[in-house]
């Protein structure tokens, strides 16, 4: 039986009927639909609409639907959507009393509730996976020890940093993503049940009770907003776009570092593929797909934004179109994260090559200028004079450490015997001794701080499980 056929004189055009259904994709909300329906049924009983026996039979029916659908993928050629599916199933199992469940409610509040429950659960899983990714990066940072590599600005050699410092930069991004997800979770955790179709339920349902049943913080405040609001989905998918964007920046860097020109990274065979034509190839497919998937997630966020733009209040069927981009963004992000964590465990860093790359390209030039600053030379002059020293090196095809003291003193008499020491990689690293800098002791502390943050992320996720 349809949910709405009474006023219709004609059947639907079969092609249209099939096309407007959402069951093919919203059946993945079944678990949440059943939980929300159980909360509604209990509220109906409390409001005196259902007898105790009717409630028991509805709850048992809902539970059975859950059990049988857990075993196999649910199919139903007639169900319009997951809400219709549950009503049909319930009536088939417990008879006409099943049709009492929909008393005083609308699918508009149901879909809004199901989606909030779905996003909330997705956030918890995503944050757990993010903790694992961060863990894998920190583990590599610890293993990298005192290894150094070039840091780039404008993709030109800039200054040496610890490999660990570079890895921790990504941990910061992912921890912010986890934070943003938590923030999104806070705001979405209100319950639309009892909002009805647009104006509020037509029966005196205890909305606070239903919210509590589903672990929401409170009921939503306005029925028009509650039935038409998809901000939570938009915020969430935008947050996933940012996460995907971070992952794609990482992937891009790893791709560059894995080229023979750089040779900093050896691609793990388990996460690479070959070429059907060129026998020698080992391609960074995992990384390229990670980079490519960002386009898809950002596309999902854009799709949501455009679908919502200009929608009049309150529910409009356009809102059905917000589901697939949401699901796709979750599926994409959830598939990516474990692969990234495993890739990070398996990838090999060529620390020798990384370190060798810090030995040329004047990566100690700012340290050289700092040497002069520490001897009272104004920074602008120190910069200029060190720049001249670099110019001399370029002409002679050598590095700063190869200039003679006489050559240096021509530029500034403050250059002294101990100048050579400040040019060494260890000294260059050590002078960046500030919070957030790459001096080894600072990085050591940063590793400790990152581990703590990951631990508390894991605890938070655990508390929601
Ligand atoms: N399948 C619908 C959706 O996802 C459920 C809500 C239907 N409401 C309505 N008034 N037709 O939006």
């Amino acid at each position: 039986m349809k949910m709405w056929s009474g006023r219709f004189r004609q059947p639907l055009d079969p092609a249209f009927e099939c096309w407007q259904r959402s069951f093919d994709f919203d059946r993945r909300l079944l678990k949440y639909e059943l939980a929300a329906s159980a909360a509604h049924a209990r509220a109906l009983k409390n409001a005196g609409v259902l007898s105790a026996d009717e409630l028991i039979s509805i709850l048992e029916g809902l539970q059975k639907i859950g059990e049988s659908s857990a075993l196999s993928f649910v199919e139903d050629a007639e169900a319009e959507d997951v809400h219709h599916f549950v009503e049909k199933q319930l009536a088939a199992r417990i008879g006409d009393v099943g049709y009492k469940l929909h008393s005083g409610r609308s699918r508009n509040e149901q879909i809004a509730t199901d989606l909030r429950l779905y996003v909330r659960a997705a956030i918890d899983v995503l944050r757990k996976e993010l903790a694992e990714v961060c863990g894998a990066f920190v583990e590599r940072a610890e293993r990298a020890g005192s290894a150094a590599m070039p840091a780039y600005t404008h993709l030109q050699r800039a200054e040496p940093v610890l490999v660990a410092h570079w890895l921790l930069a990504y941990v910061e991004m992912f921890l912010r993503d986890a934070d943003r997800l938590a923030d999104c979770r806070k705001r979405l955790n209100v319950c639309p049940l009892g909002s009805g179709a647009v104006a509020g339920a037509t029966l005196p349902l205890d909305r606070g009770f239903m919210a509590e049943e589903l672990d929401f913080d409170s009921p939503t405040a306005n029925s028009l907003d509650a039935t038409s609001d998809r901000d939570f989905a938009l915020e969430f998918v935008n947050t996933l776009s940012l996460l995907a964007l971070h992952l794609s920046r990482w992937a891009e860097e790893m791709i560059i570092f894995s080229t023979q020109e750089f040779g900093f990274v050896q691609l793990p065979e388990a996460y690479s593929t070959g070429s059907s034509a060129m026998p020698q190839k080992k391609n960074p497919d995992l990384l390229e797909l990670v980079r490519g998937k960002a386009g898809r997630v950002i596309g999902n966020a854009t799709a949501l934004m455009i679908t919502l733009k200009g929608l009049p209040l309150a529910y409009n069927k356009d809102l059905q179109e917000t589901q697939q981009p949401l699901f796709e963004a979750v599926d994409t992000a959830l598939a990516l994260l474990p692969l990234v964590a495993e890739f990070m465990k398996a990838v090999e860093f060529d620390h020798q090559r990384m370190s060798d790359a810090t030995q040329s390209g004047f990566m100690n030039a700012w340290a050289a200028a700092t040497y002069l600053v520490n001897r009272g030379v104004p920074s602008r002059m120190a910069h200029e004079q060190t720049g001249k020293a670099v110019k001399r090196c370029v002409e002679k095809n050598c590095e700063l450490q190869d200039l003679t003291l006489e050559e240096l003193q021509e530029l500034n008499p403050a250059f002294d015997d101990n100048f050579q020491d400040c040019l060494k990689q260890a000294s260059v690293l050590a002078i960046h001794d500030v919070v957030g800098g790459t001096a080894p002791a600072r990085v050591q502390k940063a590793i400790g701080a990152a581990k703590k943050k990951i631990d508390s992320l894991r605890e938070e996720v655990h508390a929601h499980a």
Side-chain angles (χ1 to χ4, degrees):
M1 185 175 180
K2 283 207 173 347
M3 296 181 95
W4 44 259
S5 54
R7 64 98 70 213
F8 282 75
R9 287 170 304 188
Q10 278 182 12
L12 294 186
D13 170 82
F16 167 66
E17 165 143 41
C18 188
W19 177 75
Q20 57 87 43
R21 293 168 75 224
S22 53
F23 186 60
D24 275 353
F25 48 87
D26 68 13
R27 60 183 161 193
R28 66 194 284 165
L29 298 172
L30 182 60
K31 183 173 149 194
Y32 309 109
E33 173 71 9
L34 293 171
S37 291
H40 177 72
R42 290 200 164 90
L44 283 176
K45 153 76 180 45
N46 294 345
V49 180
L50 293 180
S51 71
D53 285 350
E54 286 171 333
L55 173 64
I56 289 171
S57 113
I58 286 177
L59 292 179
E60 278 175 4
L62 292 173
Q63 195 183 339
K64 294 241 167 65
I65 298 171
E67 283 162 10
S68 62
S69 64
L71 301 174
S72 63
F73 205 50
V74 283
E75 295 287 353
D76 184 332
E78 272 149 35
E80 189 175 317
D81 53 26
V82 67
H83 322 294
H84 186 207
F85 173 76
V86 169
E87 181 168 286
K88 283 179 67 200
Q89 287 282 320
L90 202 55
R93 283 163 200 268
I94 65 171
D96 278 0
V97 68
Y99 291 123
K100 286 198 166 190
L101 175 62
H102 207 57
S103 312
R105 75 172 180 177
S106 154
R107 285 182 293 167
N108 300 352
E109 63 181 293
Q110 284 173 260
I111 187 63
T113 306
D114 295 356
L115 288 174
R116 281 177 193 265
L117 290 170
Y118 167 79
V119 173
R120 189 175 74 183
I123 285 177
D124 292 344
V125 184
L126 282 159
R127 293 184 85 229
K128 181 171 161 288
E129 295 299 337
L130 269 172
E132 295 316 307
V133 170
C134 289
F137 273 70
V138 169
E139 226 261 307
R140 290 314 300 253
E142 280 191 295
R143 268 163 62 188
S146 59
M149 66 186 285
Y152 301 84
T153 64
H154 315 271
L155 206 53
Q156 306 286 329
R157 284 185 189 172
E159 291 186 280
V161 291
L162 288 190
V163 174
H165 194 56
W166 166 67
L167 291 168
L168 288 179
Y170 286 103
V171 175
E172 288 302 308
M173 293 177 225
F174 300 141
L175 287 173
R176 285 199 295 276
D177 293 325
D179 252 14
R180 262 186 288 272
L181 286 171
D183 187 51
C184 187
R185 191 188 199 283
K186 256 184 244 157
R187 230 180 332 278
L188 74 72
N189 206 26
V190 285
C191 184
L193 285 192
S195 297
V198 60
T202 52
L203 294 169
L205 300 177
D206 182 344
R207 297 196 59 213
F209 165 79
M210 290 193 284
E212 245 173 69
E213 285 283 289
L214 296 168
D215 279 329
F216 283 114
D217 297 331
S218 65
T220 49
N222 180 295
S223 61
L224 283 135
D225 179 49
T227 49
S228 67
D229 172 33
R230 293 294 182 275
D231 288 3
F232 62 94
L234 198 54
E235 266 186 78
F236 171 62
V237 178
N238 271 304
T239 298
L240 293 188
S241 307
L242 203 38
L243 164 62
L245 185 149
H246 291 151
L247 288 170
S248 84
R249 292 185 73 177
W250 165 77
E252 170 69 359
E253 256 200 327
M254 293 295 277
I255 290 168
I256 293 174
F257 289 170
S258 72
T259 58
Q260 273 171 32
E261 285 71 11
F262 273 81
F264 292 178
V265 162
Q266 287 293 331
L267 295 171
E269 290 191 10
Y271 299 100
S272 309
T273 66
S275 154
S276 62
M278 297 168 281
Q280 85 283 11
K281 291 297 290 284
K282 183 171 69 162
N283 293 326
D285 289 40
L286 180 138
L287 299 167
E288 289 169 313
L289 283 174
V290 168
R291 191 175 56 185
K293 298 281 183 194
R296 192 187 277 256
V297 180
I298 293 164
N300 295 143
T302 308
L304 282 183
M305 193 104 73
I306 305 294
T307 303
L308 294 169
K309 180 195 167 293
L311 273 194
L313 292 180
Y315 180 84
N316 298 272
K317 187 103 171 195
D318 314 41
L319 289 174
Q320 185 167 288
E321 291 297 309
T322 60
Q323 293 187 35
Q324 283 155 304
L326 172 65
F327 298 151
E328 192 182 49
V330 171
D331 292 344
T332 307
L334 272 182
L336 281 179
L337 293 173
L339 284 169
V340 169
E342 290 310 310
F343 180 94
M344 258 334 245
K345 290 178 199 162
V347 73
E348 279 173 48
F349 294 118
D350 189 335
H351 287 155
Q352 191 54 49
R353 238 184 113 105
M354 286 170 143
S355 171
D356 290 350
T358 66
Q359 300 305 321
S360 57
F362 313 107
M363 302 195 71
N364 46 13
W366 196 11
T370 304
Y371 172 90
L372 291 179
V373 167
N374 285 334
R375 272 151 193 77
V377 180
S379 161
R380 184 53 51 231
M381 284 75 198
H383 184 287
E384 191 67 15
Q385 288 150 7
T386 311
K388 291 221 163 77
V390 169
K391 187 161 79 178
R392 168 107 20 121
C393 291
V394 172
E395 285 156 11
K396 292 178 62 184
N397 191 23
C398 68
E399 290 287 321
L400 287 171
Q401 48 273 36
D402 304 319
L403 294 180
T404 63
L405 192 53
E406 292 74 57
E407 284 172 305
L408 289 162
Q409 283 179 341
E410 266 172 42
L411 297 167
N412 192 324
F415 282 113
D416 211 341
D417 276 341
N418 56 4
F419 176 61
Q420 285 295 335
D421 288 343
C422 88
L423 297 177
K424 300 211 168 87
Q425 189 188 82
S427 328
V428 178
L429 290 168
I431 58 171
H432 295 84
D433 187 16
V434 289
V435 174
T438 198
R442 298 288 183 170
V443 174
Q444 208 46 48
K445 277 203 183 130
I447 288 177
K451 278 175 152 179
K452 268 201 191 132
K453 285 185 200 163
I454 296 168
D455 283 348
S456 52
L457 175 56
R458 286 195 174 118
E459 270 162 36
E460 277 171 48
V461 171
H462 191 71
H464 285 312

